[in-house]
Amino acid sequence: MTNDLPPMPDTPPTVVPKPSPGRRRNLIVAAAVAAALAVGGTVYWVGRPSYDDIVKECQRALVAQYKADGRGKPAACTDVKGDDYDVLVLNAAMGNLGWLDDDGEFDKDRMLEGSLGEP
């Protein structure tokens, strides 16, 4: 038994080829487009009003509609869920009847005075 190494091959070791310039350009363009879409999507998502903002705008529109003796569902309330819209309509009606105090809280004394026709 000998400790001799096997003979070296005549061919040089293989080298991994670098990507071609055209392929590198395509990768750079794809990465830039993906980054631009990510930034654009984030800006769009952050810029949209929250559901709370939509509900507050609907509440303002309902109060204005009651003051103007309007009818129907205001355009500002199209994105409000059904149950939430019902509560907003009830709240606006109670406020229009004078049953709510300045903070929008139910005031039993005001309701009783209003139901008896007293100022």
Side-chain angles (χ1 to χ4, degrees), residues 20-31:
S20 66
R23 182 174 174 165
R24 183 177 297 162
R25 183 191 64 220
N26 292 343
L27 290 173
I28 291 172
V29 168

Side-chain angles (χ1 to χ4, degrees), residues 95-106:
N96 189 45
L97 292 171
W99 294 0
L100 303 178
D101 61 10
D102 296 333
D103 296 329
E105 298 293 323
F106 179 70

Side-chain angles (χ1 to χ4, degrees), residues 3 23 28 35 49 52 54 64 74 76:
N3 289 337
R23 182 174 174 165
I28 291 172
D52 289 339
I54 294 169

